[in-house]
Amino acid sequence: MKHLQEFRDPALARKLLDGIAATVTRDWVIMEICGGQTHAIMRHGLDQLLPPEITLVHGPGCPVCVTPLETIDRALAIAARPEVIFTSFGDMLRVPGSRDDLFRVRSRGGDVRMVYSPLEALKLARENPDREVVFLAVGFETTAPGNAMAVKQAAAEGLTNFSEIVSHVLVPPAMEAILGSPDNRVQGFLAAGHVCTIMGWEEYVPIAERYAVPIVPTGFEPVDILSGILSTVRMLEAGEHGVRNDYTRVVHLGGNPAARAVVDEIFTVCDRKWRGIGTIPRSGLRLADAYAACDAERKFDVGDIRTEEPSVCIAGEILQGLKKPHECPAFGRECTPMTPLGATMVSSEGACAAYHRYARRDLL
Amino acid sequence: MSCPMPLLDHDTVQLAHGAGGRLSADLIDRLILPRFRSPELARLEDQAVLELPPGRVAFSTDTFVVDPIFFPGGDIGDLAINGTVNDVAMSGARVEALSVGFVLEEGFPLADFHRVLCSMEAAARAAGVRVVTGDTKVVGRGGCDRIFINTSGVGVIPDGVALSAAGLRPGDAVLVSGTLADHGMAVMTARANLGFQSTVRSDTAALNGLVADLLRACPGLRALRDPTRGGLATTLNEFARASRVGITLDEGAVPVRPDVRGACEILGIDPLYVANEGKLVAVVPADGADAALAALRAHPVGAAAAIVGEVVAGHPGTVAVRTALGAERIVEMPVGEQLPRIC
Ligand code: SF4
């Protein structure tokens, strides 16, 4: 943390901005995959400082935004059961399901608790042997090792009252889905640094080859993001593709082998529905059959779930980089952080929330 | 704590402690009264009779329900004293007296209650205010969460002082009395098992002395507020709306301790929105800014004071921040509680 200042250094950022302006000769569309990067871009106003040739579009990299409605509705039904202590990260508590959110379930008597890690949920299971503790395990490759570890630990201790609703998603298949779409306009990617810390960046090499795009793993501070954009623009202008790791201070080719091993042991790759986008083959993780006892969705039968998505919401197109939040007719009118219609407005990492919070420059 | 816990018949709160009989008297006489020795309280009447100096009376009440009740840098006790002292002081008043009401849960350890009382005593002494009346209730297990404290305070506003959130004018300077987000992050990191050694401590402190110094140095002071829940962002939005002016913050000038900034980064929380319990925001005319800053910095609780922004005629009702890189963005009113992010 003590080096944070250096990655926000205005002089260094200015130099990178000048470098980008000096390199760019034509229009480019670059997608940052991760909601954390979207947030940083808007918070530091980087979009205002870039040359007009560069259009940044925002990717599906916010786990709260892409968790399918069915999963959320199922979670709400499980959370309402009297024997259940339902645990989740703070961000998930506000996400609207079809008719409800976890905060409302809590206000009606559901035992819903915010935790900061799955191990905290595990502790609750140990301390409350007569209750069922359920953890909502969402996120990308970043949070998967911790959530896998909790299951492994529960199994090792013989805890039978701990289970997870696993709705993990994987980034590379989503990138392929975006690049392979006939409507795609993304020409280069900033890949999410956090994800690469765990998974490394070797998975990106075949994608960069197949679709002939530059992919640059990038961090979350302004200097990281600008240097990622500069590398991407340089490659685009030179007609090059491939992976260039710009986040060498934390990211290595093979990622973190121990974290990958526990994920491989506990979880299995599966097809996964992404909210607003649809099903992407082999883009998710579920519990491996050997750990079915820890699968909350098998443990608690909540019957048929009928979902209702508000029809005006264009979050799916936003998550694929096809549209920007302020192009949604509901943005800032019917849909605000106070009255969110879609998950991209609820999650603090969501693109609509980031625009609503930072980018209404018409007000200035 | 210097004061040893007196020997009592029980070591946890009993329902009978609130029933008005011998145990109630025991609790009040032996545990509570020794901590707040004001002549008004010692009379044990149903009310305190106060002699107030002439002037307008400022009156405020607040109820404290913090979890955890003990956190790095403070506890629910000093928070309850300082919170109300500060609410009264933000009118420019001299704080004269406080009331204290306790709601205790059956089974609450008396040693913890004693610890809370001792820090209330220390906070009241540091603030130079008397606790003149009080009340204690006990509720059954589950009826409240260990301990709730209500405090009310009265103060007298000197003639000529008329602070108001509606009084801002373009050109005014915006100051803060020190680093932001310390309290909120101390409570949040104490609640979270973050897996790193957190050095973040609450900033809970009484600001009445600081306000008195500031008023002396800068009689033209326009508005004061302590940015508690909702943080600086909320306070400035309230100011901008009440005065129908714009406010532009300079992000690089906002003081935040490096460890607090680190904790904010990890949890994905913006320090501008985090609660403070020992800081004030002051708006002063431009020509009073330097004197105000000097007065704040001369006081121990204002040593890290800074000028962080200015009042502008443009974008009325809206707060903007100039980022360190020179871009501008708006600073919204927060929606609900700040929730830590997922990844
Ligand atoms: S502004 Fe609201 S309704 Fe529109 S896309 Fe975003 S979340 Fe959906």
Side-chain angles (χ1 to χ4, degrees):
Chain A
M1 270 317 139
K2 65 177 184 287
H3 302 304
L4 203 58
Q5 231 35 53
E6 151 189 352
F7 299 102
R8 292 191 171 170
D9 177 6
L12 201 50
R14 185 48 58 203
K15 232 166 89 188
L16 288 162
L17 280 163
D18 291 345
I20 295 167
T23 311
V24 73
T25 63
R26 42 172 289 210
D27 291 349
W28 297 111
V29 176
I30 300 172
M31 173 180 274
E32 83 282 352
I33 280 286
C34 170
Q37 291 169 338
T38 306
H39 198 76
I41 287 164
M42 303 313 292
R43 173 167 165 201
H44 298 283
L46 302 185
D47 58 321
Q48 301 168 50
L49 305 170
L50 286 167
E53 289 89 345
I54 294 178
T55 303
L56 291 178
V57 293
H58 318 303
C62 158
V64 177
C65 303
V66 300
T67 301
L69 201 49
E70 291 86 335
T71 305
I72 295 184
D73 284 348
R74 210 166 283 133
L76 292 167
I78 293 173
R81 296 171 75 115
E83 75 274 29
V84 166
I85 299 177
F86 195 89
T87 59
S88 156
F89 294 131
D91 250 8
M92 290 306 291
L93 297 182
R94 256 202 304 253
V95 184
S98 295
R99 286 162 286 271
D100 244 337
D101 61 40
L102 285 166
F103 271 132
R104 273 185 239 164
V105 170
R106 178 158 88 182
S107 70
R108 282 197 303 267
D111 192 348
V112 176
R113 307 189 193 180
M114 180 173 81
V115 292
Y116 294 82
S117 105
L119 296 176
E120 243 177 281
L122 201 60
K123 189 161 158 250
L124 281 171
R126 253 179 241 126
E127 293 165 356
N128 297 277
D130 53 333
R131 306 281 305 276
E132 283 289 341
V133 175
V134 179
F135 178 71
L136 180 51
V138 299
F140 287 93
E141 290 88 333
T142 346
T143 50
N147 296 343
M149 205 55 219
V151 169
K152 192 177 160 120
Q153 185 81 27
E157 290 178 34
L159 281 177
T160 56
N161 65 331
F162 176 79
S163 57
E164 291 188 353
I165 300 175
V166 177
S167 186
H168 273 288
V169 275
L170 301 172
V171 170
M175 290 166 73
E176 289 202 67
I178 289 165
L179 289 168
S181 150
D183 303 325
N184 172 53
R185 56 187 194 127
V186 176
Q187 295 163 297
F189 276 106
L190 305 181
H194 287 168
V195 169
C196 299
T197 315
I198 307 292
M199 303 305 293
W201 51 270
E202 55 197 359
E203 288 180 280
Y204 297 119
V205 175
I207 302 175
E209 289 302 323
R210 195 168 319 132
Y211 297 95
V213 289
I215 300 177
V216 181
T218 307
F220 297 82
E221 294 304 323
V223 165
D224 292 321
I225 292 171
L226 290 173
S227 94
I229 293 172
L230 179 57
S231 297
T232 311
V233 170
R234 277 196 183 130
M235 289 167 82
L236 285 168
E237 291 280 344
E240 290 168 10
H241 59 267
V243 180
R244 210 202 110 129
N245 178 19
D246 251 24
Y247 200 33
T248 45
R249 71 176 190 274
V250 286
V251 171
H252 310 286
L253 177 66
N256 178 337
R260 292 178 69 161
V262 66
V263 170
D264 286 346
E265 180 192 339
I266 307 292
F267 294 143
T268 306
V269 174
C270 62
D271 296 350
R272 172 77 69 209
K273 194 165 167 190
W274 294 52
R275 186 171 190 172
I277 298 180
T279 301
I280 303 177
R282 301 187 56 73
S283 69
L285 296 173
R286 64 170 177 80
L287 275 166
D289 292 335
Y291 295 94
C294 285
D295 188 340
E297 295 185 64
R298 297 196 213 186
K299 200 169 195 173
F300 304 96
D301 178 15
V302 292
D304 269 349
I305 297 280
R306 294 232 328 272
T307 59
E308 284 166 39
E309 193 82 76
S311 56
V312 293
C313 183
I314 59 160
E317 286 167 82
I318 291 167
L319 294 169
Q320 295 170 75
L322 302 174
K323 293 222 167 115
K324 296 243 203 180
H326 53 255
E327 293 171 54
C328 170
F331 177 82
R333 284 184 268 274
E334 297 94 315
C335 186
T336 68
M338 206 77 102
T339 55
L341 292 179
T344 41
M345 187 60 93
V346 181
S347 159
S348 53
E349 312 261 287
C352 294
Y355 270 66
H356 198 272
R357 184 142 169 205
Y358 297 135
R360 288 172 303 151
R361 275 186 285 282
D362 49 313
L363 297 176
L364 296 182
Chain B
M1 293 299 129
S2 53
C3 38
M5 164 95 175
L7 277 179
L8 300 169
D9 296 343
H10 299 273
D11 53 10
T12 59
V13 171
Q14 310 292 306
L15 277 175
H17 279 126
R22 194 183 64 80
L23 270 190
S24 300
D26 226 34
L27 189 76
I28 294 167
D29 290 347
R30 295 171 65 188
L31 211 58
I32 301 179
L33 284 186
R35 306 275 68 84
F36 307 116
R37 292 171 195 281
S38 69
E40 294 89 344
L41 189 64
R43 277 199 294 273
L44 288 182
E45 301 285 356
D46 283 347
Q47 72 296 113
V49 177
L50 305 176
E51 301 243 4
L52 294 179
R56 284 157 302 146
V57 169
F59 180 38
S60 183
T61 189
D62 203 347
T63 304
F64 296 81
V65 295
V66 63
D67 172 40
I69 57 174
F70 301 104
F71 45 81
D75 61 45
I76 190 170
D78 39 42
L79 211 56
I81 297 290
N82 293 333
T84 291
V85 166
N86 293 346
D87 283 345
V88 175
M90 290 307 128
S91 66
R94 240 190 75 108
V95 186
E96 296 289 337
L98 296 183
S99 75
V100 173
F102 296 104
V103 179
L104 305 175
E105 185 188 16
E106 179 188 10
F108 181 57
L110 283 172
D112 284 353
F113 187 32
H114 182 249
R115 190 171 153 198
V116 169
L117 286 166
C118 289
S119 65
M120 294 181 86
E121 176 188 27
R125 182 170 317 123
V129 298
R130 313 187 304 280
V131 173
V132 297
T133 184
D135 176 53
T136 306
K137 294 281 186 298
V138 176
V139 294
R141 225 175 237 286
C144 82
D145 185 8
R146 291 160 294 164
I147 177 171
F148 294 163
I149 305 178
N150 171 275
T151 50
S152 299
V154 287
V156 175
I157 304 172
D159 280 344
V161 174
L163 305 179
S164 162
L168 278 60
R169 314 217 183 112
D172 290 353
V174 179
L175 290 85
V176 297
S177 66
T179 55
L180 295 185
D182 299 300
H183 174 75
M185 291 318 288
V187 170
M188 223 179 285
T189 49
R191 239 184 257 162
N193 209 338
L194 284 183
F196 61 82
Q197 203 60 37
S198 174
T199 51
V200 179
R201 294 171 62 80
S202 170
D203 59 342
T204 174
L207 298 169
N208 50 342
L210 188 68
V211 171
D213 289 1
L214 186 60
L215 273 172
R216 254 193 306 278
C218 183
L221 191 64
R222 304 243 202 251
L224 276 184
R225 192 159 289 180
D226 57 337
T228 53
R229 248 185 323 179
L232 181 66
T234 304
T235 297
L236 293 185
N237 269 288
E238 286 166 357
F239 280 175
R241 283 178 199 188
S243 295
R244 295 195 188 82
V245 293
I247 294 177
T248 299
L249 266 183
D250 180 356
E251 190 165 58
V254 176
V256 180
R257 288 165 44 105
D259 53 350
V260 171
R261 194 179 288 287
C264 285
E265 286 297 327
I266 286 169
L267 295 177
I269 284 173
D270 187 336
L272 292 180
Y273 292 88
V274 178
N276 310 277
E277 288 293 345
K279 299 292 153 47
L280 59 79
V281 183
V283 180
V284 303
D287 58 13
D290 291 337
L293 184 65
L296 290 176
R297 286 193 174 159
H299 194 284
V301 299
I307 297 175
V308 295
E310 62 173 328
V311 178
V312 297
H315 57 83
T318 305
V319 180
V321 58
R322 209 174 300 113
T323 71
L325 307 181
E328 247 189 27
R329 62 172 164 87
I330 66 165
V331 177
E332 275 217 322
M333 256 328 199
V335 183
E337 200 187 337
Q338 291 275 291
L339 299 173
R341 69 154 167 234
I342 286 183
C343 72

